[in-house]
Amino acid sequence: MRCELLDYELPEALIASRPPEERDGARLLLVDRGRRAGEVEHAAIRELDRYIERGALVIVNDTKVVPARLFGRKRGTGGQVELFLLHRLDGAPAGAEDLGGGPQESAPRSERWRAMGRASKPIRPGSVLDIERDGALVAEVLERAEDGVLTVQLSSPAGLSVAAAIDAYGHVPLPPYLGRGDDASDRERYQTIFARVPGAVAAPTAGLHLSPGLVERLRANGVEIASVTLHVGLGTFQPVTVDDLDLHPMHAEVYSIPDATAGAIAGARERGAPVIAIGTTVVRALESAADPARAGLVRAQSGETRLLIQPGYRFRVVDALLTNFHLPRSTLLALVFAFAGRERTLLAYRAAIDAGYRFYSYGDAMLIRGVDAP
């Protein structure tokens, strides 16, 4: 796919910098693949239970966003610096074990991490960075790769575990297009109600819309809810810069499909119920684990995925998709094109723009359902 086909024009005023007042207060655009392109309906997220059939299986992502942005100063010069944590060098994603909890006696007080760094001057090996002012977290720069990614040794002289220190001093890694820093409210609102397994550096944004009350109504209507884990990585923000999407270096993300979810999908197939993905991250996890020997089913497994979904891809597991509105020239938009068709998606985006929908992470959503139109 040519990357210019992923373009569309969006008025800057429609980029949502903050979430709606209520978690389920966003608007919802309904797109039916069985209708002609351009035919959409306008609804609200809080009405989602009206549009998901009884017996359907809804699958959410239970990853938890970690406070991966650290601010500090270079020891000796006092120069300001920012670190964006990527993953620990033992191969685990950021905070996969215990980040987000309180101090833990058995947790390590020194760890090596990959991180991105930003400062007025290059951050060189040997630099020591004091995070915040009380020295509770210190980063020593060990290496700097050709692409600028740093290897740092994080330690907590104050006696906290590294995980607890990051949780105490880190900031919510809001996407740069929001145009603001994080505040106290983002600790809750840039996190889904399903967040359980720390490791993401960006939220699975479609899941942000589901409130406890909405989930309760879905379950009361006979809808089953299961979960997968996919730790959203920094690459989710990377625009496509190559002319041909096939040449885009797809970022790897860690995912896990539990036995219970694989069984729930098998049960949905037996009763003829649709599998509905809450967000593109769930799509990537499920499609990465699709069982090649059993159509429509997945294998319970864990691993890394670099799956790039673009027009021409044949979906094997997912039947319907709740998703936010995505950035131009992004792999997430390519995935939606593959699921709903490029023309149908762009016409839906145009309808949303004309109606003043809010876009991106804290914005409104669309529900894509139905079989492909002939």
Side-chain angles (χ1 to χ4, degrees), residues 77-158:
T77 67
Q80 293 183 336
V81 65
E82 175 186 349
L83 288 182
F84 194 113
L85 301 179
L86 300 177
H87 59 85
R88 291 203 308 271
L89 277 183
D90 61 6
E97 294 178 358
D98 58 354
L99 197 53
Q104 300 185 23
E105 294 298 326
S106 60
R109 294 183 172 85
S110 181
E111 297 174 352
R112 286 199 304 161
W113 290 69
R114 293 276 193 238
M116 297 184 67
R118 183 166 63 179
S120 58
K121 295 182 179 179
I123 305 173
R124 303 188 183 282
S127 299
V128 177
L129 315 174
D130 292 307
I131 307 303
E132 300 299 336
R133 295 183 178 179
D134 60 4
L137 186 61
V138 175
E140 180 184 357
V141 181
L142 304 178
E143 298 176 359
R144 180 185 177 94
E146 291 184 4
D147 60 1
V149 174
L150 306 174
T151 300
V152 300
Q153 187 82 33
L154 290 179
S155 59
S156 179

